[in-house]
């Protein structure tokens, strides 16, 4: 993504260009949280960011290009995984981080908007996939560490364990199926740990 000739908005800038990018991405996140993907307008983002419209149109071209860069930046800025020394503790930390993110008034609304847009916009879907692959890969390290300590069977698919932690939490977000709180996070982490120990995720 950080190469010459990449997608608009995907080359990592420096100096004033970096400040402009930061302002535009903050404005885009605010607009997404308020109005959803369908209401994301590049001229409105430029106004919010206090930058020229031509700058935004030249660099990002489309709302989908802007969302792609926003998700890349969010992945770069995400909190790194914990290393608490046990599978349960690490998975619980992961689940609670997911809950905090999804229940944050701005971040929760932003993710809901992007997920909805990904169902009908291929470029947004690709950007969302890249975002989650970065996050899953980051947290899969705690599962690999648990395998190394002998807590889990050899051959356990570390990425699948992490996805199993998040899946019920996103289901609650998108369907309103129960409270999205620490209790839900802890249950999701425990269920994934139990299944992993039983060999469910051995590939």
């Amino acid at each position: 993504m950080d190469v010459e000739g990449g997608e608009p908005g995907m080359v990592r800038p420096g100096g004033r260009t970096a400040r402009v990018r930061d302002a535009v991405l903050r404005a885009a996140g605010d607009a997404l949280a308020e109005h959803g993907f369908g209401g994301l307008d590049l001229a409105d983002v430029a106004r919010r960011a206090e930058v020229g419209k031509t700058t935004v149109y030249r660099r990002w071209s489309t709302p989908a290009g802007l969302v792609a860069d926003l998700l890349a930046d969010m992945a770069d800025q995400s909190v790194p995984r914990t290393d608490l020394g046990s599978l349960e503790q690490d998975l619980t930390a992961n689940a609670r981080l997911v809950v905090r993110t999804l229940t944050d008034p701005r971040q929760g609304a932003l993710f809901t908007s992007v997920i909805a847009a990904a169902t009908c916009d291929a470029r947004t879907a690709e950007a969302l996939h890249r975002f989650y692959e970065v996050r899953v890969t980051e947290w899969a390290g705690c599962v690999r560490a648990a395998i190394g300590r002998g807590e889990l069977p050899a051959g356990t698919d570390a990425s699948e364990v992490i996805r199993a932690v998040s899946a019920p939490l996103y289901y609650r977000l998108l369907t309103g199926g129960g409270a999205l709180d620490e209790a839900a996070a802890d249950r999701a982490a425990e269920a994934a740990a139990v299944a992993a120990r039983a060999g469910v995720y051995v590939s």
Side-chain angles (χ1 to χ4, degrees):
M1 291 187 294
D2 303 337
V3 295
E4 184 70 15
E7 294 185 55
M10 300 302 282
V11 178
R12 296 295 183 262
R16 180 182 180 279
T17 304
R19 292 192 295 274
V20 168
R21 176 174 179 262
D22 288 345
V24 169
L25 294 185
R26 281 196 305 273
D30 291 341
L32 274 171
E34 292 174 22
H35 304 299
F37 183 79
L40 185 62
D41 177 75
L42 296 187
D44 176 55
V45 170
R47 179 187 60 77
R48 290 169 181 257
E50 300 182 343
V51 302
K53 287 191 294 185
T54 56
T55 298
V56 175
Y57 280 99
R58 182 177 64 249
R59 175 150 186 186
W60 287 278
S61 303
T62 64
L66 183 53
V67 170
D69 196 22
L70 175 64
L71 287 168
D73 185 68
M74 288 169 62
D76 289 344
Q77 301 300 323
S78 292
V79 177
R81 71 176 177 89
T82 62
D83 185 7
L84 300 175
S86 77
L87 179 68
E88 283 89 350
Q89 287 179 301
D90 288 339
L91 293 186
T92 297
N94 173 251
R96 290 185 177 186
L97 176 60
V98 170
V99 165
R100 287 197 302 274
T101 300
L102 297 183
T103 55
D104 179 84
R106 181 179 183 276
Q107 293 289 86
L110 192 159
F111 274 108
T112 301
S113 295
V114 173
I115 291 168
T119 64
C120 57
D121 183 90
R123 191 172 179 187
T124 303
E126 181 183 354
L128 189 65
H129 173 75
R130 286 197 300 264
F131 170 82
Y132 282 116
E133 281 303 299
V134 169
R135 297 309 298 148
V136 168
T137 299
E138 168 74 16
W139 280 88
C142 71
V143 180
R144 288 191 292 271
I147 296 170
R149 292 191 298 265
E151 292 185 64
L152 294 177
T156 295
D157 187 325
S159 294
E160 282 300 298
V161 176
I162 298 303
R163 293 187 185 102
V165 172
S166 296
L169 304 175
Y170 276 90
Y171 181 84
R172 285 174 178 258
L173 171 73
L174 297 175
T175 68
L180 190 56
D181 53 20
E182 281 198 355
D186 294 352
R187 283 194 300 270
E190 182 180 3
V194 169
R197 282 205 170 89
V200 170
Y201 302 109
V202 173
S203 57

